[in-house]
């Protein structure tokens, strides 16, 4: 009955929290500068001579590796540091409403950052005629990727009241999810490990699942993968929070 | 309204709360006293549903805090220890957030915020962010949050901590006023506060209830309670002592000098009626022709009772 009102109130507060401090503006500016830099300079957008955003999306898993944990590290550790978690959880709100509300707020924030990259899309459409379906699939994949990383940041943030520790741990977890399926790494592993084993590990990687979005394919299995990562990480967040209270 | 039965809460091997039972009804203000680390905050956190109990049962307005946490939490207003608040929010934003989580919206939300702001005197800082507030305002902001939905039950963990004497007085008066129809639990270290605002006192030490009664009952446990203090210029301390000894358990000379003698006389055990004891001393004074400048029946002091109950035996002997 009150579920959605509660989630909305928590979401609104959390989102407001980004914008009342300089965090949001610093984050957005850095995100946009870096996406621009990687797309045009490192990704050789112009030299490629093709009307696509491949050079834009390729860098997202790496860019998010540092930026998403930075956006998510405060979610729960700040509550614990300030002691407001005691207020929040003694309100007539279930823990999972609080978890979902906070997660959705940070995800919306990341999606906003992603939307603000629209000049890249305008540029590529102005210079040539790209397949906009592929680009949309790329954006969907990128948003799901950010969501998965954010859920992991949520989890590590619930584990500690120290934001720095929260940041480092979530970077490590996300890095593992990248490297497990990163071609240079899997190529190396295949030399001495069972290929089936390597493939199984690679199936847990965000790279494997993000790739098909870049090619313009929205495969249900990939969507399920990202949603499952989010669900698992948020569930673990709930367990961690309950653990603190049970003593 | 609040019923705590055989509550136990352990952290690892430490029993923070060890088999506590009590209840609070509307119209009652229950003062929670105890040294630091006695288990006051832990008990309050279990009552408000923040910590699940290790064993025992807590019901709030008939709802079990473990079985039906949301229904129970709806009835409670809670001021946690140290009055936490979201540092980057304004006072108004914070209260608005609290009101929304309490299910208030639109006009009723506006009215609730207005009323809480008025009660806690926050008009001047309404649009300041919480991290710029002084400790007193921060505390009152969190207090406002706890009463925004006009709850039937208030749990206040050290509500006057960090306030200046005027603010302390106001908050005490507020608690007393609200206590006329709400069930209130509040914890404090300040003993005078208990006398000023509570209808009942529980003293907790090392996780257990060691005293439970009205402030007057507890004060009566004091050795001082019922003692008579006199001062006179018409006799020496030695003379007074000689005549008074048959009446008293012991006498204590408080001062002796040009201003006369001031003396405290403790009644013999069993002499419970204070007035009677005082009358017998007055009678004696008339017989002996002492001119009494002052005669006063001591009330007993809570701090003395508190110390005698909560100090570990070893320290008590040394002191």
């Amino acid at each position: 009955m009150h579920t959605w009102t509660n989630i909305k109130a928590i979401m609104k507060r959390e989102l407001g929290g980004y914008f009342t401090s300089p965090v949001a503006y610093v984050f957005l500016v850095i995100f946009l500068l870096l996406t621009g830099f990687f797309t045009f300079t490192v990704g050789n957008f112009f030299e490629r001579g093709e009307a696509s955003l491949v050079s834009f999306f390729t860098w997202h898993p790496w860019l998010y590796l540092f930026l998403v944990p930075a956006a998510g590290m405060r979610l729960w550790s700040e509550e614990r540091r300030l002691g407001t978690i005691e207020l929040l959880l003694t309100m007539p709100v279930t823990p999972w409403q609080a978890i979902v509300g906070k997660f959705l707020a940070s995800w919306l924030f990341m999606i906003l950052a992603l939307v603000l990259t629209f000049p890249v899309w305008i540029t590529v459409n102005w210079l040539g005629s790209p397949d906009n379906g592929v680009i949309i699939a790329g954006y969907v994949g990128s948003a799901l990727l950010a969501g998965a990383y954010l859920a992991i940041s949520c989890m590590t943030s619930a584990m500690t009241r120290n934001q720095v520790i929260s940041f480092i741990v979530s970077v490590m977890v996300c890095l593992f999810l990248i490297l497990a399926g990163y071609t240079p790494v899997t190529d190396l592993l295949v030399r001495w490990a069972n290929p089936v084993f390597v493939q199984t590990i690679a199936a847990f990687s965000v790279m494997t699942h993000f790739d098909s979005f870049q090619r313009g394919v929205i495969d249900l299995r990939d969507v399920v993968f990202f949603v499952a990562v989010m669900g698992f990480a948020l569930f673990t967040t709930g367990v961690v929070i309950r653990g603190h209270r049970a003593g | 309204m609040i019923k705590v039965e055989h509550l136990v809460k352990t952290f690892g091997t430490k029993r923070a709360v060890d088999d506590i039972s009590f209840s609070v009804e509307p119209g009652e203000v229950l003062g929670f006293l105890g040294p630091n680390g006695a288990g006051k905050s832990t008990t309050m956190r279990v009552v408000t549903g923040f910590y699940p109990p290790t064993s025992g049962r807590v019901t709030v307005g008939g709802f079990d805090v473990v079985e039906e946490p949301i229904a129970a939490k709806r009835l409670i207003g809670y001021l946690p220890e140290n009055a936490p608040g979201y540092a980057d929010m304004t006072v108004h934003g914070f209260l608005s957030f609290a009101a929304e989580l309490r299910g208030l919206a639109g006009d009723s939300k506006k009215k609730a915020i207005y009323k809480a702001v008025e009660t806690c005197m926050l008009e001047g800082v309404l649009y300041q962010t919480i991290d710029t507030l002084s400790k007193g305002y921060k505390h009152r902001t969190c207090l406002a949050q706890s009463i925004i939905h006009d709850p039937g039950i208030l749990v206040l963990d050290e509500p006057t901590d960090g306030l200046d004497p005027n603010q302390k007085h106001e908050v005490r008066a507020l608690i007393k006023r609200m206590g006329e129809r709400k069930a209130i639990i509040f914890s404090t270290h300040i003993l005078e506060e208990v006398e000023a605002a509570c209808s009942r006192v529980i003293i907790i030490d090392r996780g257990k209830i060691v005293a439970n009664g009205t402030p007057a009952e507890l004060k009566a446990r004091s050795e001082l309670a019922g003692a008579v203090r006199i001062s006179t210029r018409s006799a020496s301390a030695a003379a007074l002592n000689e005549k008074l000894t048959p009446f008293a358990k012991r006498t204590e000379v408080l001062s002796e000098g040009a201003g006369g003698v001031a003396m405290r006389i403790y009644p013999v055990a069993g002499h419970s009626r204070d007035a009677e004891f005082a009358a017998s001393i007055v009678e004696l004074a008339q017989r002996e022709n002492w001119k009494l400048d002052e005669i006063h029946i001591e009330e007993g002091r809570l701090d003395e009772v508190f110390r005698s109950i909560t100090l570990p035996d070893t320290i008590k002997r040394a002191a």
Side-chain angles (χ1 to χ4, degrees):
Chain A
M1 177 178 57
H2 294 289
T3 305
W4 180 237
T5 347
N6 288 344
I7 291 178
K8 214 168 66 183
I10 290 166
M11 210 169 85
K12 208 172 79 182
R13 198 208 71 73
E14 200 63 47
L15 210 50
Y18 280 110
F19 288 96
T20 46
S21 60
V23 175
Y25 306 100
V26 171
F27 182 90
L28 289 175
V29 168
I30 290 179
F31 176 75
L32 295 174
L33 280 177
L34 284 180
T35 45
F37 173 73
F38 278 107
T39 308
F40 294 104
T41 311
V42 185
N44 299 324
F45 176 78
F46 294 113
E47 290 83 345
R48 293 172 87 97
E50 56 180 87
S52 81
L53 284 185
V54 171
S55 62
F56 170 68
F57 288 120
T58 310
W59 299 103
H60 281 193
W62 298 98
L63 209 54
Y64 286 168
L65 178 61
F66 293 99
L67 288 178
V68 170
M73 63 185 182
R74 46 173 274 159
L75 285 174
W76 285 98
S77 45
E78 182 82 346
E79 295 268 352
R80 288 187 59 197
R81 196 178 61 81
L82 292 173
T84 43
I85 187 166
E86 201 172 335
L87 269 182
L88 184 62
L89 296 179
T90 52
M91 290 280 181
V93 173
T94 61
W96 77 264
Q97 286 169 355
I99 291 168
V100 170
K102 277 172 168 292
F103 168 72
L104 285 182
S106 56
W107 200 13
L108 267 181
F109 177 67
M110 280 309 300
I111 289 171
L112 171 75
L114 204 51
V115 167
L116 288 178
T117 61
F118 70 91
V120 182
W121 175 74
I122 292 177
T123 307
V124 77
N125 269 284
W126 186 50
L127 292 174
S129 46
D131 182 344
N132 279 320
V134 174
I135 291 177
I136 288 172
Y139 270 111
V140 169
S142 183
L144 285 170
L145 178 69
Y149 279 13
L150 265 176
I152 289 164
S153 305
C154 239
M155 178 179 78
T156 62
S157 163
M159 289 173 180
T160 169
R161 70 184 65 210
N162 186 325
Q163 297 195 8
V164 177
I165 294 175
S166 156
F167 175 80
I168 292 171
V169 175
S170 58
V171 168
M172 290 318 292
V173 175
C174 295
L175 184 64
F176 168 79
L177 288 182
I178 290 180
L179 291 183
Y182 186 50
T183 326
V185 175
T186 47
D187 287 351
L188 201 70
L189 282 177
V190 155
R191 277 192 230 159
W192 51 270
N194 188 336
V196 180
F197 173 74
V198 174
Q199 265 177 19
T200 314
I201 296 292
F204 283 102
S205 169
V206 291
M207 294 304 253
T208 325
H209 299 276
F210 184 60
D211 275 349
S212 47
F213 284 103
Q214 283 189 70
R215 291 196 308 271
V217 184
I218 301 184
D219 187 330
L220 186 64
R221 282 173 301 181
D222 298 325
V223 176
V224 167
F225 169 79
F226 284 115
V227 172
V229 171
M230 288 182 228
F232 173 77
L234 293 182
F235 173 77
T236 311
T237 309
V239 172
V240 170
I241 289 170
R242 198 167 55 214
H244 292 313
R245 296 160 68 199
Chain B
M1 280 302 253
I2 303 175
K3 206 166 171 192
V4 176
E5 293 162 274
H6 302 293
L7 172 66
V8 176
K9 176 71 187 172
T10 59
F11 294 101
T13 53
K14 188 175 178 281
R15 282 171 99 80
V17 175
D18 193 357
D19 195 20
I20 279 184
S21 304
F22 64 89
S23 65
V24 190
E25 295 303 321
E28 244 186 326
V29 179
L30 175 66
F32 247 37
L33 279 179
N36 285 325
K40 297 179 303 251
S41 292
T42 307
T43 307
M44 293 182 144
R45 285 176 179 157
V46 176
V47 169
T48 53
F50 184 63
Y51 287 158
T54 305
S55 73
R57 208 170 113 89
V58 178
T59 53
V60 172
F63 300 108
D64 189 309
V65 292
V66 177
E67 310 285 327
E68 295 170 279
I70 301 300
K73 284 172 184 174
R74 223 169 252 149
L75 304 174
I76 305 178
Y78 178 38
L79 171 70
E81 198 178 4
N82 302 325
Y86 293 101
D88 51 11
M89 285 183 109
T90 63
V91 172
H92 184 269
F94 178 63
L95 293 179
S96 169
F97 171 62
E100 278 167 31
L101 288 187
R102 293 296 185 178
L104 297 166
D107 244 13
S108 54
K109 179 175 115 179
K110 239 183 249 167
K111 267 184 211 146
I113 294 174
Y114 176 78
K115 211 178 145 203
V117 164
E118 201 188 21
T119 311
C120 298
M121 292 159 296
L122 293 166
E123 291 92 343
V125 296
L126 210 44
Y127 295 100
Q128 272 185 38
T129 55
I130 290 178
D131 57 354
T132 64
L133 296 179
S134 68
K135 205 172 173 194
Y137 273 118
K138 217 177 258 180
H139 234 89
R140 272 145 63 187
T141 304
C142 202
L143 182 65
Q145 160 280 130
S146 71
I147 59 172
I148 200 152
H149 54 307
D150 194 21
I153 295 166
L154 272 175
V155 179
L156 310 171
D157 202 348
E158 297 185 9
T160 57
D161 181 44
L163 302 184
D164 68 36
N166 292 333
Q167 296 167 336
K168 273 191 175 126
H169 179 80
E170 280 156 16
V171 169
R172 259 177 240 157
L174 177 67
I175 290 173
K176 203 166 181 181
R177 201 164 63 235
M178 292 191 298
E180 284 164 16
R181 46 194 189 87
K182 294 181 197 294
I184 300 181
I185 304 182
F186 83 92
S187 71
T188 179
H189 299 295
I190 306 165
L191 295 150
E192 55 193 89
E193 204 147 83
V194 171
E195 299 191 63
C198 296
S199 55
R200 203 148 55 83
V201 186
I202 283 179
I203 301 181
I204 305 187
D205 187 30
R206 280 163 284 174
K208 289 184 190 306
I209 293 183
V210 287
N212 182 355
T214 64
E217 279 167 14
L218 286 188
K219 276 196 291 187
R221 285 194 184 192
S222 162
E223 200 200 1
L224 206 58
V228 171
R229 194 176 71 218
I230 57 169
S231 63
T232 176
R233 269 173 287 191
S234 48
S236 71
L240 287 173
N241 236 334
E242 195 195 321
K243 298 286 178 192
L244 283 168
T245 307
F247 284 85
K249 190 166 85 182
R250 66 187 177 93
T251 58
E252 183 187 348
V253 179
L254 300 171
S255 67
E256 188 174 11
V261 186
M263 185 176 252
R264 188 179 286 143
I265 309 129
Y266 293 88
V268 281
H271 213 306
S272 56
R273 306 255 312 271
D274 310 336
E276 207 175 276
F277 181 60
S280 63
I281 288 173
V282 172
E283 219 173 90
L284 178 74
Q286 279 166 353
R287 243 185 294 140
E288 301 289 334
N289 253 332
W290 299 333
K291 255 192 80 201
L292 295 181
D293 297 328
E294 189 198 353
I295 178 158
H296 178 81
I297 303 173
E298 303 275 11
E299 263 204 315
R301 290 209 313 262
L302 264 180
D303 60 345
E304 197 195 325
V305 179
F306 181 81
R307 281 170 57 85
S308 73
I309 291 178
T310 59
L311 272 185
D313 296 338
T314 47
I315 302 177
K316 224 184 287 178
R317 247 176 271 132

